[in-house]
Amino acid sequence: MTVPGTTTAGAWQALHIHYAANPQPLLTRCVGPLVEELTADGLLAGHFFINYWLEGPHVRLRLRPSSEAVADEVRGRAERAVADFLRERPALYEVDSSGFLNEFYNTLFELEFPEDERAAFLAADGRMRLRPNNTFSREPYEPEYGKYGGPAGVALAEWHFRYSSDLVVEAVRGMNLHLRTVRLGTSAQLMMVMAGCFLPGRAELAEYLDRYHAFWHRAFSGTDLIGTDAYESGYAGMGPGLARRFDAVLGALAAGEPQRLPRFLRGWAEHCAELRERATELAVRGELVFRSWDGTRDEQITDPAVALPLLLSPYMHMTNNRLHVTIRDEAYLSYVLGRALREESDPREEGGR
C-alpha cells in the first residue's frame, strides 16, 4: 500500500504535553490550529494525537514533516505553540501523589507494564513517577508494529489516525462533548459505524462486541476501573432507542448508502469503508504481520476474516481514547451495543422490507 507523502516525508516527531486537565482546550486552541497551519503551509505529511496516562495525564502529539528539510521548522513551530498555550491556559489541577488519580494511574501502570519494564518510570518511593504539570518534552516515536500488523499496518494506522484525530477535534469544537451523555452517545455512534463497516454480518458483529466487552473485563478484573452495577438500569433507559439507531446505521451501510446517515457519521462511514478495503488488501498480499498474544512470535495473517477483527479493536479503542472515553465507559458501550444488536429483530428477516 502506498500512503501519499510517506515516501519522501521526514521522520515522525513526538511531543508529550503534560496537562492535568480536560484536554479539550488543548485540542481546540493549540493542537487543532497548529496542525491546520502546518498543513496549509505544506509542512506536514501526517499527524495525530492520543491521550495517555504514563507519568501523569498527557497528550501525545505526533507530527510527520513533509520532508526532512522542514523538520526543524515543524518542531520549532510546534514547541512554540505548545509553550504559548501552557503559559496562557495552564492546567490548574495538580495530580496529588497520594490522591485518587495517582492511585488510578498506578493501577494502570501495574496492569500494563511487566515488572522488568517499570524501573525507568519509578520514583524514589517505588511508585510511578509523575512529570511536572504544564510541561512538554520531545520523545521518541515508537510505533506498535506488533499490534497494527508490521510496517505496512502501522502506515495504514497512521493514515487512519490522522482522520480520527481531525474528526475528534472538530467534534470537540462543535458538540457538547464535555457532557458525559453527549460524549457517550457520540462514541456509541462512531463505534456502530466502524464496527458495522468492518463486520457487516449482524451475528458476527454481535459476537465481536461481546468479545470486546469481555476483553476489558478480563484485562481489568479485580479493579474499580470496570463496573456492571448500572448496566441493567442504563440499558433499560437507552436500549430500545439505541437498537433502532443501530438497525438504521447497519441498513445504510449494507445498502452502500452512507448519505442516509447524519452528516457527522457520513464521512466517518466512507472513511471506515476505505480503511477496511485497504486493510483487506494488505492481508491478502501477506503484508500484515502481528505479534502473538504471548509475545513469543510473529504471525503473518492473510485471511481478512482474521485480520479485520484484530485491527478493529485497537482502531475503535483509539478513537474512544481521543474522545476521552474511559475504559469503564468503553466496556459499558460495547455491552449495550452488543445487547441492542441481539435484541433488535431485523425487519427484513420478517418480510417487513
Side-chain angles (χ1 to χ4, degrees):
M1 181 197 70
T2 300
V3 179
T6 58
T7 54
T8 59
W12 281 93
Q13 303 175 3
L15 282 181
H16 291 190
I17 308 164
H18 283 260
Y19 189 70
N22 188 307
Q24 291 186 11
L26 176 60
L27 298 180
T28 58
R29 300 188 184 190
C30 178
V31 171
L34 171 66
V35 298
E36 288 163 4
E37 291 167 8
L38 291 174
T39 300
D41 291 343
L43 299 177
L44 282 190
H47 64 268
F48 64 93
F49 76 90
I50 66 172
N51 294 300
Y52 210 56
W53 52 268
L54 185 64
E55 298 184 294
H58 62 280
V59 170
R60 295 186 169 185
L61 174 62
R62 276 73 181 262
L63 303 171
R64 191 170 198 187
S66 55
S67 71
E68 202 57 43
V70 301
D72 287 344
E73 182 176 359
V74 169
R75 182 180 295 109
R77 287 173 62 168
E79 292 182 350
R80 286 193 296 274
V82 171
D84 288 346
F85 173 82
L86 293 177
R87 182 177 61 255
E88 295 167 4
R89 180 69 183 268
L92 302 179
Y93 178 82
E94 294 285 348
V95 178
D96 184 352
S97 61
S98 61
F100 164 77
L101 273 182
N102 195 36
E103 292 295 334
F104 169 77
Y105 296 131
N106 272 284
T107 298
L108 289 176
F109 185 55
E110 293 172 3
L111 286 169
E112 296 195 24
F113 279 78
E115 190 169 354
D116 59 354
E117 296 180 10
R118 297 176 190 171
F121 305 102
L122 292 177
D125 61 0
R127 296 165 67 81
M128 185 185 72
R129 179 178 64 240
L130 292 174
R131 295 277 187 106
N133 194 17
N134 296 311
T135 63
F136 65 91
S137 61
R138 300 180 189 178
E139 301 291 343
Y141 173 52
E142 299 175 336
E144 296 182 277
Y145 291 110
K147 180 184 291 185
Y148 292 104
V154 163
L156 178 61
E158 291 165 347
W159 172 81
H160 161 60
F161 288 164
R162 177 175 184 164
Y163 188 99
S164 174
S165 296
D166 290 346
L167 178 80
V168 170
V169 170
E170 284 305 307
V172 172
R173 284 172 171 163
M175 304 170 70
N176 293 321
L177 293 184
H178 61 283
L179 300 175
R180 182 171 179 270
T181 52
V182 176
R183 186 168 65 252
L184 293 191
T186 301
S187 171
Q189 293 180 81
L190 293 174
M191 290 174 72
M192 285 180 197
V193 170
M194 174 168 264
C197 284
F198 269 60
L199 305 172
R202 294 184 181 229
E204 179 187 14
L205 180 53
E207 291 173 3
Y208 168 81
L209 290 167
D210 288 345
R211 293 196 307 272
Y212 193 72
H213 170 72
F215 166 79
W216 292 117
H217 270 269
R218 286 195 305 270
F220 296 99
S221 61
T223 76
D224 61 359
L225 304 182
I226 295 294
T228 59
D229 294 345
Y231 276 21
E232 286 298 325
S233 60
Y235 185 81
M238 67 185 300
L242 192 67
R244 289 191 296 271
R245 174 63 63 87
F246 210 167
D247 184 60
V249 166
L250 293 178
L253 296 177
E257 298 176 350
Q259 66 273 16
R260 287 162 45 183
L261 298 173
R263 185 180 63 83
F264 175 67
L265 297 178
R266 199 172 306 150
W268 181 242
E270 293 167 349
H271 169 77
C272 290
E274 183 177 358
L275 179 63
R276 180 185 191 276
E277 182 179 347
R278 291 187 179 209
T280 298
E281 291 173 357
L282 289 182
V284 170
R285 293 205 302 263
E287 296 186 40
L288 292 180
V289 180
F290 296 88
R291 196 66 174 164
S292 62
W293 280 108
D294 59 10
T296 60
R297 64 193 184 280
D298 289 333
E299 298 175 333
Q300 183 185 55
I301 304 295
T302 59
D303 184 354
V306 177
L308 289 175
L310 287 176
L311 292 172
L312 174 59
S313 293
Y315 288 166
M316 197 155 62
H317 174 59
M318 293 315 300
T319 301
N320 281 325
N321 168 280
R322 294 182 180 99
L323 286 166
H324 221 235
V325 171
T326 67
I327 293 169
R328 186 184 185 101
D329 285 338
E330 190 168 9
Y332 169 69
L333 290 176
S334 58
Y335 165 82
V336 297
L337 287 172
R339 181 169 171 182
L341 186 59
R342 289 193 308 274
E343 294 186 1
E344 172 70 7
S345 300
D346 184 355
R348 287 169 294 186
E349 294 178 355
E350 299 171 359
R353 67 169 183 256

